[in-house]
């Protein structure tokens, strides 16, 4: 089941989007739930959602601050910004947003964005990296990965409750993680 959160401080817009998401689930046959939040603070106090539809202009903590806070909390939600603030599109890349939609949003545009995020959610639930150590192999599911490090061909995969180390190459790891957010950060001496 796919969980969706809509964070919007204008009640009628929030309710209209919730109904659009429900229509998406009904048309596609995907199982899902959608919850509405009036502020970034309220959303952050709640659980984790697969997909978060965020307005940028919110009272209190704005949508971009909320997205950064979600990332600091290591929440793996796929973010879709839904806003009238076109100028914020470039900031969306900093928080690994899946899509940036400008209001008013037609149902078909929202459906495409939700489909893209739903596909990524399914991939996260079912996808894995195959780790080989000698003659043994282990599946490491994408959903369990917090982050990866590579130093001198030693790959360290940090999981939510474990650490897996093996020898390999960064390009092979990136290839296995194809379609998942991968950001290479160089280490400065």
């Amino acid at each position: 089941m796919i969980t969706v959160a809509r964070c919007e401080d204008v009640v009628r817009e929030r309710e209209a989007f919730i109904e659009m998401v429900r229509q998406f689930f009904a048309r596609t046959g995907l199982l899902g739930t959608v919850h509405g939040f009036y502020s970034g603070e309220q959303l952050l106090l709640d659980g984790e959602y697969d997909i978060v539809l965020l307005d940028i202009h919110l009272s209190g903590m704005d949508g971009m601050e909320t997205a950064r806070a979600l990332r600091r909390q290591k929440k793996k939600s796929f973010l879709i910004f839904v806003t009238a603030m076109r100028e914020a599109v470039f900031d969306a890349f900093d928080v690994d947003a899946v899509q940036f939609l400008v209001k008013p949003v037609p149902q078909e545009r929202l459906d495409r964005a939700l489909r893209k995020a739903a596909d990524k959610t399914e991939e996260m639930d079912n996808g894995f990296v195959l780790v080989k150590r000698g003659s043994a192999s282990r599946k490491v599911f994408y959903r369990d990965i917090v982050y990866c490090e590579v130093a001198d061909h030693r790959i360290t995969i940090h999981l939510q409750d474990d650490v897996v180390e093996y020898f390999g190459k960064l390009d092979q790891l990136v290839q296995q993680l194809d379609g998942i957010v991968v950001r290479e950060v160089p280490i400065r001496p």
Side-chain angles (χ1 to χ4, degrees), residues 126-143:
N126 300 321
F128 61 89
V129 172
L130 187 60
V131 174
K132 295 180 181 180
R133 292 181 70 179
S135 62
S137 295
R138 175 181 175 182
K139 287 182 181 179
V140 176
F141 288 92
Y142 294 158
R143 66 178 172 264

Side-chain angles (χ1 to χ4, degrees), residues 24 78 97-99 111-121:
F24 167 79
F78 292 103
V98 174
Q99 193 76 44
D111 287 358
R112 282 195 307 266
L114 287 170
R115 171 54 76 183
K116 182 178 179 180
D119 289 348
K120 287 182 176 291
T121 297

Side-chain angles (χ1 to χ4, degrees), residues 84-159:
M85 298 179 65
R86 292 176 185 267
E87 63 275 9
V89 68
F90 298 109
D91 294 331
F93 292 107
D94 293 336
V95 292
D96 299 319
V98 174
Q99 193 76 44
F100 190 94
L101 303 174
V102 178
K103 293 178 186 178
V105 179
Q107 181 74 50
E108 58 274 4
R109 294 257 0 243
L110 178 62
D111 287 358
R112 282 195 307 266
L114 287 170
R115 171 54 76 183
K116 182 178 179 180
D119 289 348
K120 287 182 176 291
T121 297
E122 185 176 299
E123 188 175 324
M124 283 292 288
D125 287 343
N126 300 321
F128 61 89
V129 172
L130 187 60
V131 174
K132 295 180 181 180
R133 292 181 70 179
S135 62
S137 295
R138 175 181 175 182
K139 287 182 181 179
V140 176
F141 288 92
Y142 294 158
R143 66 178 172 264
D144 297 329
I145 298 173
V146 177
Y147 68 96
C148 304
E149 297 177 289
V150 180
D152 295 326
H153 298 287
R154 179 186 304 266
I155 297 175
T156 305
I157 302 176
H158 296 266
L159 307 175

